[in-house]
């Protein structure tokens, strides 16, 4: 049958996802007898952020024999700061330029967005729900980067595993619609899930959230860990006033132990407002997964030991005391 | 050793990149004896654009036995328009919701950005140079989507192949810096590359672009297909005035046959301006590869033949005469 | 006991609500033997609008013996246009200047706002619900002016009567909260109200509006004339999407005859959007009742037959062919 | 003959200015045997301001037997703060909801605007000249509220009386135009008015203000208390430079005792600027009288002792320690 | 004694106002034997406008033997359009580059501003009153350029003469203040000035403009040609409302023949508004005299017959069919 | 032949550049026997700035016998502050009003702009290159005023001399284009110029600035004082990044002694940025020479010892302790 269009690890390692000009470069340098020229390359970032993707770069370059220095995974870097340096014969790593930059640019973009959510949420829980906006081949890359940036967990199975965690999540609107009643689903969830699984119930499918939250709390009692508010824009979205009122109605009815998980178009600004209103945890989607990549540039700064640079850049190695040898 | 973090085709097909709640959903529905419930789901888009990713979705669902209707690959869709409909037992496709939405959201985002470049460029050539901003696992997905959207070619090897093309590209600054002189590289390129490969030379590494363009044209003559302008921001970037002047100086020296390829931070607006100034082709990077995904939402609209919807949506199947049966 | 602070008809006619300077003016002119000086005064408006209040001015001046010309009640006037002219001995009407200007300024402000709602609503029904923002002494003045401007009805009893209509309205949230269930109230309403009273039920007190609308429709059937949406800002207010969905759900359940009355912060812009979404009538509050008065100015333009004016104004009578003799 | 359209005290007390739905409510509750249900209602404000109208509400509710708590007349309240609480059988006060809210909303709007003028004027005199923008039935309500908010006096006779003051004011342009010369009017004023009435003369009717001020000062000498500047927009309005110059010319001619009263489109910002330039008192019109009402909302928060609230509000009595029992 | 700092014609012709680098250039070219090199230079403008200063450039270059082509004096030119071309041995005209560019830049700036006033005024009279904002050495240059641009006259004696006109003007505030009364000055003006001099009287020195205009008209009758309004900002400046009222009061008193000349901060926008209000002529000051110079650039485009240009410009002579040979 | 249009010193002293109304004024006052009236006039500024032009005013008034007080040349004055006072018979100085105001307005405008560049540049060198934007008759006035304001030098010969300095400057693009190579010109400059002249070479004519700077440095070595960057807008202009890179490349090659002079569209903001990036001196053109004049107004404030003023101004002498007697 047909294949998916994403590249496998083997295809990437073999250089199949590189820009064609690095292949041409290798041929020309060979023809000129310059393919083994020792060079030093530096990678710097177009804007500040959190570095992510270093272990994948290490995997890519592990067998090439080049020397690599890098900022640590998860470190904050400044605009134009050098985040990685590679030294060795050019033909050992030139064909990986496209892949290395792509890994760092996209992973750091995701990690940086997660960091901003982390800061907005203080000590409260941030979970990445963004897998549905990216291709499944990179969903685990994205979720792992989000955890590097500061998310507490992720909903995609492989992404959570790669970060050494269990995936987290509740139930979608679909199951509610198939069963036809939120309370019935909640009871089935309680019966079916393994002992210890926290019961979190989505309460905006059929009824006003405050009403449904109380219905569910009445049947599950102490077994209800949290309710989830994911109110659609057509009903005003999740607002501070909604969170405050649901909190108050739960408390007045004696359900102070039930936490409130919010989701739907969250940004750092909205996380902060909803947290002040009483939300306990935050499911963040497109703010993380749709974050723009952070432009990464690789420049040759030395060729056979002599400082070089193209026009517009300063020749020679940039002093970067925070870099650490990783290969 | 270590693996890359991206998922293989097999992992995706096995549901490893799905959100955990679809797994839970399956278990609960089974416990309730509802797992085989016949449902109809619709996918609609948060903003208008070009649909891409349909073949991958077809690959995913091919063995499940569900019926699928879709807009054709490459079709323009409106805001909130239904782009795909799936009918069948819920447990046959529920676990693929995350993957399907991710494929369509990211591919359509890329295709739509490429379409806007296409429209700005009129009949001139647009090439996707954006692989360096995305993870290598999806670089081919992105480049194929760009071609669906209207790009004429792409630089990444696997991406071009998947779209049935040869990859296109010239040479990076790195080879210039290793060799030390643009003209020498140009001559080596001419000698080394197979007969028929168009010779395109990057002219902003060492010297003023107008001066370097003339130096290269003088040695290659009729063999020079194009020069590439990629002037860095530190030297003012590629501007209409620069393109006009280089064109005039080439023409005055008799090199009317030499085309001008421009790159560097291109957007549809800049493509239009540079095209008017005389540029012949356009290498587009982050405008395409950094395009935001187009939010896709899947809603159940019928359960066992009866119209349903969550609060905020209109129950029942949306009339969508443009959908075509694909499975 | 204590009185309310508003003035009675008698107090107004006696000049008790005039600015003190008109009293002083009368005394001084008398002392100078000039109190009977024949003058012509003109009233013009600071901005364009709908004229209202003419009958009250006529009542005020009826016994004074002066001649009065006016634009008709309900007529559109331009910025700086003369809307009324008074001719006669100054001491017959000077003390009413404050009252006349106040009547015209406030009434025209309300009528003009109502006209804009009228235009936004096309042929659909606009009802004034604004009594709660103005002092009860002027609530009937305001509602009558709204009807002059184009409202189809008003909720305040005396206001509607003065405009020759029955007051219109449904039931407040209070009765819902006292009874505890919307459906029970709806049934009582149906039983209690005189034959022929249209049954309109407010559906946002306890439950999601779509759910509550269907519950009420199921018990009242053909007897339900309309449901009213007045969703609070904390639940997103009344939006086009909400109206569309409630309409669709009512129609799918066979209640096409049930109309939708919307209220809550309506403006001409929102009226237009909600009308397009399917709303049938509009309850407008503060947009009408909180409308700013339209500044009215009275200038003497002739004294004993000779043109005069203060600095900044053009002496003599302004040609105003649209004025009609009313006294 | 005809009546004015404003309601008398008796009509208001009889419930004729209420919204019709409170009448219907009473009938339905009676039919259900629920009319005597004990409830607690709270009134809160849409934006912050100065509370006014409490004595009128007290008058309205005095005979009903309900218990009432309120912030004191003239107190500052915050956004959404509870300003009044009513407890008792619903049918004793339900029909007054419209009137109570209207009294508080409009009176507090006026008082709040006056307070801002007060703050801008520091220790200098602020007089309300706004009667000409409101219906004469509420002119005294407005002026009394302005004095509650901080105005030093008002020009409307009944308004001033209700606030326990004498009305204040000078002479209008009309008397100048009838007599034909400002100096002649000034002399007549001096002769005619009772001993002790401060002589304030308007100086912008015929001549440049500085010239006219000196003419009047020369004939009245020590008897001239103040001149009033009310320059029309067509002559640039009253500006800081005009005040400064008139002050300087009066002082150079030895009339340091003559004060300057300014009027015409004053706002807190303009009061502050004109005060710095040397103005001594301020006649404020439409800024106070055209102030938007402050939206007041009445919510039932307890029914027969149990906390309730409609969707969007938090059930139960809001802790409000600043409220004081008034009935 | 001391001299003024402005340069005489002789100093300018001798090259004393040139930038020092042209002197150095001459020495170096002589030392290299290149001083007689034949070159072609082009002058182009940074923004569009009206060309002025051509006769002075012709005077400067008349004896040098070079060939000169130019757009005609008073012609409209576009942005970047070539306005002048000079061909000949470089050392014949190189030292005049600074002077030529300065003449064209400042004169064209002034002429362009005058053109915009001309267009705003339609067929009405525009007079340049701007001498007081520029150094007296260039006042005549400025006024002549204003007339080239479209002004009807100028107030500075030498400027008017150079444009072949008589200077125009009325009387300043100073004479009013010395004499102490506008009417007395007007009578003296009528007695003293030669038969046929139009009598124009400034009416804003002491009294309200409308009052003073009528006083003057009453004593001069048919001999009064115009009054001038120059109201200071402290009195609101000259506004459309003021012009309309003065026009109306003059007409009502039978002085339809008296024209209205306005001045004070005029711009094309204000000219248009005041013209519509009835003003007959316009005295424009700083809008013309404070106009920014239009940047002019001189580029060598041929050296000994071969196209040249510095980086950023296109080599060779620009096709410019509108240029005409002037030397 | 033809003359230039600028006025000579003699023409200015003879009153030929005055506004015609001062001539008329003199005639009328003579006819009334008031020409010798003793008056006091004050000159004040429309906005704050640096006073320049005082010596020229002194030259103008030296023989008239009037008394003059002034702020010192180069002093900072505030908005509306009196900068000069003249006392004496009006006919001795009235005809110079236009010239005096023009001198002070334009000179102070230039001096103020130069002061802002001075402040932006700190201790670094600012040179005025603006002669090419003004008429050559005032180029020396402008450059002298720039030096009064704080410029270190000027390029125009007469301007520099009047300020007691040698003119400064390098070589224009013209000489480069005639010779055809920057290095050849640099060598000729070194050979030809007198011992001690600092060698400054413009490096943007043919090649990339960094490349050309190194070529010139290699041949001149220690004799190269500075390179000048004047990059045209078509190549991105002179940016901080360009300055930094050129500085770095010069330093890496051992040319730390070579300074960087920048020019081209400099403003105080750009001076500050380029200074931080490493520029050593600044050639400023149109920011100084195109600065708007600072409006100066002359008011009579005393006539024969009595305070006067036109409407809008305060009569009598303004206390101005900073004024000093200069005549
Ligand atoms: Zn090495
Ligand atoms: Zn939801
Ligand atoms: Zn089926
Ligand atoms: Zn490049
Ligand atoms: Zn009459
Ligand atoms: Zn409601
Ligand atoms: Zn009770
Ligand atoms: Zn007035
Ligand atoms: Zn020739
Ligand atoms: Zn004036
Ligand atoms: Zn004296
Ligand atoms: Zn240059």
């Amino acid at each position: 049958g047909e294949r998916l269009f994403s590249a496998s690890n083997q295809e990437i390692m073999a250089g199949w996802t590189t820009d064609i000009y690095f292949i041409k470069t290798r041929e020309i340098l060979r023809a000129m007898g310059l393919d083994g020229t020792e060079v030093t390359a530096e990678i710097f970032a177009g804007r500040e952020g959190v570095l992510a993707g270093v272990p994948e770069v290490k995997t890519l370059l592990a067998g090439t024999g080049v020397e690599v220095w890098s900022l640590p995974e998860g470190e904050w870097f400044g605009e134009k700061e050098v985040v990685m340096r590679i030294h060795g014969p050019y033909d050992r790593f030139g064909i990986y330029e496209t892949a290395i930059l792509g890994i760092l640019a996209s992973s750091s973009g995701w990690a940086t967005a997660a960091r901003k959510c982390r800061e907005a949420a203080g000590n409260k829980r941030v979970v990445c729900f963004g897998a549905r906006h990216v291709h499944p081949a990179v969903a685990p890359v994205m979720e792992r980067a989000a955890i590097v940036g500061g998310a507490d967990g992720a909903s995609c199975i492989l992404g959570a595993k790669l970060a050494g965690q269990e995936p987290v999540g509740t139930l979608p609107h679909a199951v509610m619609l198939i069963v036809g009643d939120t309370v019935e689903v909640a009871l089935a969830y309680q019966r079916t899930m393994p002992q210890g699984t926290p019961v979190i119930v989505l309460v905006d499918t059929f009824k006003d959230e405050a009403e449904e939250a109380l219905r569910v709390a009445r049947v599950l009692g102490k077994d209800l860990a949290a309710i989830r508010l994911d109110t659609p824009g057509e009903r005003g979205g999740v607002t501070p006033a909604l969170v405050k009122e649901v909190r108050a109605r739960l408390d007045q009815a004696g359900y102070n132990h039930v936490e409130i998980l919010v989701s739907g178009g969250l940004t750092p600004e909205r996380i902060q407002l909803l947290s002040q209103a009483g939300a306990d945890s935050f499911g963040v989607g497109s703010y993380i997964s749709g974050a723009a990549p952070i432009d990464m540039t690789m420049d040759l700064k030395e060729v056979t030991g002599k400082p070089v640079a193209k026009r517009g850049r300063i020749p020679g190695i940039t002093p970067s005391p925070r870099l650490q040898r990783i290969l």
Side-chain angles (χ1 to χ4, degrees), chain A:
Chain A
E2 294 292 336
R3 61 169 288 171
L4 296 178
F5 302 145
S6 47
S8 66
N9 281 10
Q10 293 70 35
E11 288 168 329
I12 296 166
M13 299 297 286
W16 280 68
T17 66
T18 202
D19 282 317
I20 185 70
Y21 27 95
F22 295 106
I23 305 297
K24 291 187 182 179
T25 294
R26 194 164 53 182
E27 290 175 51
I28 286 169
L29 290 177
R30 274 183 197 158
M32 300 178 85
L34 290 169
D35 50 324
T37 307
E38 284 233 319
V39 303
T40 306
E42 289 180 350
I43 298 174
F44 66 89
R47 54 180 171 93
E48 59 173 11
V50 171
L51 187 64
V54 177
E56 284 192 290
V57 175
K58 202 170 155 188
T59 300
L60 263 184
L61 296 176
T64 61
V66 298
E67 299 163 59
V68 183
W69 295 258
S70 176
L71 291 185
E73 181 81 352
E75 190 86 357
W76 188 262
F77 54 82
E79 188 185 336
K80 308 266 169 185
E81 183 172 351
V82 174
V83 299
M84 195 173 280
R85 181 182 296 130
I86 304 173
H87 173 80
Y90 183 72
D91 66 351
R92 299 278 177 82
F93 69 93
I95 61 162
Y96 293 126
E97 178 175 328
T98 310
I100 292 169
L101 297 180
I103 287 168
L104 295 178
S106 58
S107 301
S108 299
W110 290 318
T112 303
R115 175 69 53 89
K116 288 181 183 163
C117 295
R118 168 79 281 136
E119 285 163 2
N123 291 322
K124 295 181 173 178
R125 217 172 142 67
V126 171
V127 181
C128 180
F129 281 0
R132 65 187 46 228
H133 302 101
V134 299
H135 193 279
V138 290
V141 183
M142 183 273 295
E143 299 219 317
R144 189 201 150 273
I147 290 169
V148 166
D152 295 294
S155 60
C156 161
I157 302 165
L158 184 55
K161 301 275 187 215
L162 286 170
Q165 303 196 346
E166 283 306 301
V168 296
T170 166
L171 290 172
H173 293 106
V175 68
M176 302 299 177
L177 290 165
I178 291 169
V179 175
D181 181 60
T182 302
V183 166
E184 242 181 279
V185 174
L187 288 167
Y189 190 90
Q190 187 188 24
R191 278 194 311 270
T192 317
M193 287 293 115
Q195 195 73 18
T197 310
V199 182
I200 303 173
V201 182
L202 182 57
V203 295
D204 66 291
T205 312
F206 301 109
K207 293 173 170 290
D208 185 72
E209 301 83 346
E211 184 188 7
E212 191 79 291
L214 287 168
R215 286 181 73 225
V216 174
R218 274 184 218 114
V219 302
L220 294 195
K222 284 291 168 199
D223 284 0
L224 180 64
I227 54 99
R228 174 171 165 217
L229 300 175
D230 180 58
T231 311
E234 291 89 344
R235 286 292 189 279
V238 179
T239 59
L242 177 63
V243 171
K244 259 187 217 161
E245 182 191 339
V246 170
R247 181 75 272 154
R249 293 194 187 254
L250 284 170
D251 290 351
Q252 289 180 357
Y255 304 114
N256 312 58
H257 71 281
V258 178
E259 297 203 333
I260 298 176
L261 161 60
V262 294
S263 60
L266 296 188
T267 59
E269 292 71 33
R270 292 193 61 219
I271 288 173
Q272 209 162 14
L273 290 171
L274 295 171
S275 177
Q276 284 160 6
D280 300 290
S281 51
F282 306 91
V284 184
S286 64
Y287 183 80
I288 294 175
S289 57
I294 295 181
D295 225 26
M296 297 281 171
T297 304
M298 185 189 285
D299 270 356
L300 292 199
K301 301 306 281 290
E302 276 191 5
V303 171
T304 55
K306 285 185 320 199
V308 300
K310 67 176 176 186
R311 278 167 80 219
R313 303 281 155 72
I314 292 173
I317 289 175
T318 312
S320 308
R322 297 169 63 210
L323 295 182
Q324 299 174 8
R325 179 79 181 267
I326 61 168
L327 273 181

